[in-house]
Amino acid sequence: MKKVLYLLLLCPLLIVAQENKDYLLSISEITVKQGHNEAFLQGVKSWKECYLENKGEDKWGVWHRLQGEGNVYVLTGRMANWAEFDKDDDAAGKECQAIVLNLIMPHVESFKFSIAQTILDWSSESQMENVGLVWNTFFEIQNSADFKEVVQGIQSALKSSNDDRNGKWFTFMGGDRDDADYFVSTPFSKFADLDKDEDGVWQVYEKVNGKKKADELRAKFRSSVVDVWSYIYTLNKDLSN
């Protein structure tokens, strides 16, 4: 499926792998036409059935964006390296490409394809099973050196406090001029987990380093970023593989 959809949609349907290794992440954002949601989902379901019947080996995940304008699904995936784009060995995907053209594409208003790379030095080493949703925070920056210093400082404070928030950091590889430069993805098993009462990262940093240093780092953060925004995405397990 990866190659078929890369050629037809420019968006491979793959799932984010859980191994703590460096990888490239494909991010395919699809806006579904108004009133076409059920037909779109049925098309993806039909594709999955076809792909599995043809013994396809790729894995994929389908995420639904909770907030924001439009009805948006995000398809995410992992590639070990850039060389995977050169491969053309997905026979099962080719067998099912008519379903993409006839049952999925007619319901798509727009799509956007991005590639990001993991930043293991900034990311949590722990893994979460049974992920049901993720909270992704995006950063458009204007001073990379200062932003890196801020993130590394906060990560160091969290580590020294034995506070593992499970966040995974990524940097975008190219893209539109107004795209984010970095994002951090925090997984949760269910919405009730969001009700957990815990200190914010700035509170943790202040407890470790004192108010003066916290104020200095916060000021450096504010001057290093252009914009910050976030979305929650829920995993559609039935359409994922």
Side-chain angles (χ1 to χ4, degrees), residues 85 106 129 142 209 214:
F85 281 102
E129 297 182 359
Q142 59 188 355
N209 297 283

Side-chain angles (χ1 to χ4, degrees), residues 40-185:
F40 171 78
L41 295 179
Q42 185 59 47
V44 177
K45 180 181 178 181
S46 297
W47 195 98
K48 176 181 177 179
E49 292 173 352
C50 176
Y51 188 78
L52 296 181
E53 287 173 0
N54 284 276
K55 303 185 186 305
E57 297 180 354
D58 276 345
K59 304 295 181 181
W60 65 87
V62 180
W63 303 81
H64 191 213
R65 196 178 75 187
L66 183 64
Q67 314 103 313
E69 183 178 353
N71 183 22
V72 177
Y73 289 86
V74 175
L75 316 174
T76 58
R78 192 192 81 159
M79 294 167 288
N81 49 49
W82 289 98
E84 289 199 19
F85 281 102
D86 296 324
K87 297 179 181 179
D88 187 22
D89 54 0
D90 189 5
K94 293 176 182 178
E95 287 292 324
C96 304
Q97 59 184 321
I99 294 177
V100 177
L101 290 172
N102 298 324
L103 299 184
I104 296 179
M105 285 298 293
H107 311 296
V108 173
E109 179 178 313
S110 64
F111 66 87
K112 181 178 181 179
F113 179 61
S114 303
I115 300 173
Q117 187 170 30
T118 51
I119 309 177
L120 295 185
D121 290 344
W122 298 2
S123 300
S124 168
E125 295 181 358
S126 65
Q127 308 295 334
M128 175 180 285
E129 297 182 359
N130 195 32
V131 175
L133 61 143
V134 293
W135 186 307
N136 287 359
T137 301
F138 302 86
F139 304 87
E140 182 183 354
I141 67 167
Q142 59 188 355
N143 189 317
S144 181
D146 282 355
F147 183 78
K148 290 178 180 178
E149 182 180 335
V150 170
V151 176
Q152 290 168 344
I154 290 176
Q155 292 302 110
S156 177
L158 291 172
K159 186 175 182 179
S160 66
S161 301
N162 294 317
D163 187 327
D164 192 345
R165 307 217 170 191
N166 235 349
K168 306 297 181 184
W169 279 89
F170 300 85
T171 179
F172 281 99
M173 310 299 288
D176 295 338
R177 64 179 63 188
D178 295 325
D179 284 351
D181 298 291
Y182 299 93
F183 76 95
V184 58
S185 181

